[in-house]
Amino acid sequence: MPTVVAVLNQKGGSGKTTLATNLARGLQLEGLDVMIADADPQGTASEWSALRPEDSDLPPVVGVKGSTIGELEDVGAAYDVVVLDGAPALDSPNVKALKAADLVLLPVRPSGPDLWSVEDLVELIHTRRDVTGGRPLAAFVVSQQRRTNLAEGVGEILEDYGLPILDGRTSQRVAYAEALTTGTTVLDAAPSSKAASEIEEITDDVLDLLEQIDTAQ
């Protein structure tokens, strides 16, 4: 039975697909069998997958929607981890993704509108955790940060939502866009880059959370 890691944010442009594809590769390079479930109607992860070479060993991408999202344990039964790239909306598919998830990652850019828009999704997570006794685990991932005062203080703002913040963050780097539009990841295209180091740190953070899930089960 796979562990489901859902990457969710109701606001578009938060870096969901960038995080999902690079994290999936990071977990794969740590020895886990990983599948990406593309639940975003825009299908960016699926388009990313179609760009890769035929002999690529990157994680496979499977499009999911509707009732299939609630059956991720069956869809990804052959894998250790399913990384789900959710839709940029607070809709029924994302609610189903939330119910199917063992861990929810919330990429959020350090800007006022992004920080405010995540409130409804966080409320749903807390409601779900109250019903299930603490499942899913959930954490923020600061994404696309720049050297601004808001980026430096974003941790204090997010702390008010009552969810932890990963130490690893992504910055606004060309390497991410280039990897996404060429069917690869920063870990493959630029393994010595700062972007790759960011994904490696996020991967380590997520592995720690997955260990917590395994211990609790």
Side-chain angles (χ1 to χ4, degrees), residues 153-168:
V154 67
E156 296 180 4
I157 298 172
L158 291 177
E159 284 177 358
D160 291 338
Y161 287 122
L163 296 176
I165 307 161
L166 297 193
D167 291 331

Side-chain angles (χ1 to χ4, degrees), residues 10 20 87 193:
Q10 67 199 64
S193 67

Side-chain angles (χ1 to χ4, degrees), residues 192-212:
S192 299
S193 67
K194 292 181 179 179
S197 295
E198 290 172 350
I199 294 301
E200 288 166 354
E201 185 174 6
I202 291 170
T203 300
D204 288 341
D205 291 341
V206 171
L207 286 170
D208 289 341
L209 292 173
L210 296 183
E211 187 175 346
Q212 291 182 35

Side-chain angles (χ1 to χ4, degrees), residues 112 114-120 122-123 126 140 156-164:
D114 288 78
L115 295 171
W116 304 325
S117 69
V118 78
E119 183 174 356
D120 291 339
V122 171
E123 187 173 326
H126 283 306
F140 288 109
E156 296 180 4
I157 298 172
L158 291 177
E159 284 177 358
D160 291 338
Y161 287 122
L163 296 176

Side-chain angles (χ1 to χ4, degrees), residues 7-76:
V7 183
L8 304 178
N9 192 312
Q10 67 199 64
K11 193 175 188 304
S14 64
K16 281 189 310 82
T17 304
T18 293
L19 177 60
T21 54
N22 284 279
L23 172 62
R25 180 58 164 167
L27 294 173
Q28 184 186 47
L29 291 175
E30 290 294 326
L32 297 171
D33 289 327
V34 184
M35 184 191 93
I36 299 171
D38 186 2
D40 188 341
Q42 297 177 2
T44 306
S46 297
E47 292 177 358
W48 167 80
S49 178
L51 294 170
R52 67 179 63 170
E54 291 185 4
D55 60 350
S56 171
D57 65 345
L58 291 170
V61 178
V62 176
V64 296
K65 58 183 179 180
S67 61
T68 310
I69 296 175
E71 300 170 356
L72 288 177
E73 291 183 355
D74 295 327
V75 175

Side-chain angles (χ1 to χ4, degrees), residues 93-138:
N94 268 356
V95 172
K96 290 180 180 178
L98 185 61
K99 292 180 179 179
D102 299 291
L103 169 64
V104 176
L105 298 178
L106 299 157
V108 58
R109 295 182 298 183
S111 73
D114 288 78
L115 295 171
W116 304 325
S117 69
V118 78
E119 183 174 356
D120 291 339
L121 183 54
V122 171
E123 187 173 326
L124 281 179
I125 290 171
H126 283 306
T127 298
R128 178 66 180 169
R129 286 162 60 91
D130 288 342
V131 171
T132 63
R135 181 180 176 275
L137 289 182

